[in-house]
Amino acid sequence: MDKHQLAQKAAQEVDVDEVVRLTQALVRIESYYPGPGEQPVVDFLEPYLRERGFKTTVQAVAPGRPNLIADLGEGPGGLILEGHTDVVTHGPLERWTHPPYEARIVEGRIYGRGACDMKGGLAAAICAAVAVQKVLGAPRKTLRLCIPCDEEGLMTGIKAFIRAGYAEGFAGALICEPEENQVCLWQKGAMRVWVRFQGRMAHGAMPYAGANPIPSASRFVVALRELQAALQAESQHEHLGLPWITPTVVEAGAGEGQFNVIPDQVKVGLDIRTNPGQDHRALLARLGQAMEESLEAGVSATLEVFEDRPATETPRDAVLVQAVEQGLRLLQMPVRYGGVPGATDGTFLSAWAGLPIVTIGPGGRTIPHQADEFVEISELLSAARLYAVVSVQMLLG
């Protein structure tokens, strides 16, 4: 059989019942952090994969927070299938119609925390890799399942994976995030920033004896609207939309009940989202200027970037992109392009490891992190078949 016939055979070998069962099993394992963490998922998946012929490695990242790596084959030039094990918290249980860790099936959907983001995509990738093993055995190139922790936080899992050299020698990576099975070649960049305004404490009845940082911080937050409007006038992406500067945290006060005390500090947290081509250093300079212009007498300020994630863009002529497009056509699925509104582990596989990435997976992009999160079973199965087809094409290409 030629490469395309083997790819089709791999798609046919995907165990559709197991895709559903594995998704349910993963959803039933609570893996939010802070909380149970990702260790229970790795404890479940490591023997599962080893029993199916994969060479497994558990990489310690932090206490109770491991990465799992599982390989078929040993040669260079292969493919990474990536899906994280952590989920966000379930929040108030009374908001859920279907309990978050029961993985109920209702009208063709699996409900539960992580069903969409992204235990469904992870299950699809694993079942696809098992199907590839049935068709190719141990391929000459490596098919690597990268199953990291902490994607929802500071992405320490994928950073540790890359620093340890586990991304070296591959031709690309499929990021199995919920993107409605669209071919996402673009991801927004992100910066997380603290801006601290320092004043001087005083009695509320005698404000002239101190320096209140709250008015300066307020002026800064208002000025962000003008800066955001300028950024949006400069960049609007076909698949990513507009850049955003969003204040998400404002902390001030001298302590609970201290209404008569002028605080000495205000802390403003910013969630910034950028498009490809926007220079983060230039943006930080503009933020710094807005910060300085907001200051009143006796108040100073500092700006700290504690996470910087560049926007990514994968060329349409990349071999991986061509394999994904061919795989969709082979399966008679539509070839639809899209963009990732947030950052993913693929951000660092692209920026740090230099890998071509395509983000494509089952689930609606607006569904994650909500109560009654769900994934359509039909999308799960389509994704699993696609991952199997693309893997064979990349391994035999």
Side-chain angles (χ1 to χ4, degrees):
M1 287 189 284
D2 64 19
K3 179 173 66 175
H4 297 303
Q5 290 173 319
L6 287 168
Q8 287 178 316
K9 183 171 175 56
Q12 294 165 1
E13 287 289 347
V14 170
D15 186 334
V16 296
D17 293 330
E18 184 62 10
V19 176
V20 174
R21 283 195 298 265
L22 184 56
T23 299
Q24 289 182 291
L26 293 175
V27 169
R28 288 168 181 153
I29 301 173
E30 299 181 30
S31 57
Y32 56 88
Y33 184 88
E38 301 90 340
Q39 185 71 54
V41 182
V42 172
D43 290 343
F44 171 78
L45 283 178
E46 193 274 334
Y48 179 98
L49 289 162
R50 186 165 23 86
E51 290 166 5
R52 286 160 176 78
F54 291 79
K55 178 184 176 182
T56 59
T57 302
V58 177
Q59 180 190 19
V61 177
R65 310 198 75 183
N67 291 339
L68 176 60
I69 301 151
D71 290 348
L72 288 177
E74 297 182 352
L79 178 68
I80 293 174
L81 299 178
E82 192 275 342
H84 61 85
T85 52
D86 59 320
V87 298
V88 298
T89 180
H90 49 266
L93 290 173
E94 62 270 17
R95 296 181 183 173
W96 290 77
T97 306
H98 309 289
Y101 303 109
E102 287 191 8
R104 289 182 182 174
I105 296 177
V106 180
E107 296 181 350
R109 297 171 170 176
I110 301 174
Y111 282 86
R113 175 56 80 224
C116 181
D117 186 15
M118 63 170 295
K119 288 177 174 176
L122 175 57
I126 290 170
C127 291
V130 170
V132 171
Q133 193 272 345
K134 292 177 181 177
V135 173
L136 298 184
R140 292 193 303 274
K141 298 179 182 179
T142 302
L143 178 62
R144 174 162 290 172
L145 288 165
C146 167
I147 308 174
C149 64
D150 191 37
E151 192 271 351
E152 300 290 359
L154 292 179
M155 300 186 178
T156 55
I158 199 66
K159 291 173 182 176
F161 176 88
I162 295 166
R163 289 189 182 112
Y166 288 118
E168 295 175 4
F170 287 86
L174 285 184
I175 314 303
C176 307
E177 291 272 7
E179 295 296 340
E180 302 166 13
N181 284 335
Q182 292 183 5
V183 184
C184 294
L185 307 184
W186 306 270
Q187 290 187 125
K188 279 198 171 182
M191 285 191 291
R192 294 180 180 174
V193 178
W194 284 119
V195 185
R196 293 180 173 87
F197 294 83
Q198 185 69 45
R200 189 170 67 255
M201 291 178 68
H203 197 295
M206 295 172 284
Y208 50 82
N212 192 341
I214 292 177
S216 295
S218 300
R219 290 178 63 189
F220 173 71
V221 170
V222 172
L224 293 177
R225 291 184 177 181
E226 184 176 343
L227 178 54
Q228 177 177 270
L231 290 176
Q232 292 179 345
E234 296 163 6
S235 175
Q236 181 167 356
H237 194 277
E238 177 185 0
H239 296 287
L240 297 175
L242 296 168
W244 299 96
I245 303 175
T246 307
T248 54
V249 179
V250 178
E251 295 179 358
E256 187 176 353
Q258 299 297 300
F259 289 96
N260 61 343
V261 180
I262 291 174
D264 66 344
Q265 189 178 92
V266 178
K267 187 164 68 170
V268 178
L270 304 180
D271 183 357
I272 302 171
R273 305 290 171 156
T274 59
N275 285 334
Q278 292 188 294
D279 188 323
H280 284 194
R281 287 178 297 180
L283 175 53
L284 286 173
R286 295 165 78 172
L287 280 172
Q289 181 180 352
M291 178 186 73
E292 294 293 336
E293 292 174 351
S294 71
L295 298 180
E296 296 187 353
V299 178
S300 61
T302 59
L303 187 152
E304 175 198 358
V305 180
F306 67 93
E307 182 75 342
D308 191 347
R309 302 171 180 176
T312 68
E313 182 172 2
T314 303
R316 288 278 297 272
D317 60 359
V319 172
L320 177 60
V321 178
Q322 299 301 308
V324 171
E325 292 178 352
Q326 291 169 9
L328 288 166
R329 295 188 182 100
L330 195 67
L331 295 170
Q332 298 182 328
M333 294 170 61
V335 180
R336 299 174 296 140
Y337 295 96
V340 182
T344 71
D345 285 332
T347 298
F348 292 103
L349 287 170
S350 173
W352 287 16
L355 292 181
I357 62 166
V358 175
T359 307
I360 185 168
R365 61 169 54 91
T366 63
I367 300 302
H369 302 191
Q370 297 189 35
D372 284 336
E373 178 181 348
F374 68 88
V375 66
E376 300 278 357
I377 291 174
S378 60
E379 285 191 25
L380 272 180
L381 303 182
S382 294
R385 294 185 180 109
L386 177 65
Y387 298 155
V389 167
V390 174
S391 296
V392 169
Q393 292 185 116
M394 293 295 290
L395 295 173
L396 299 182

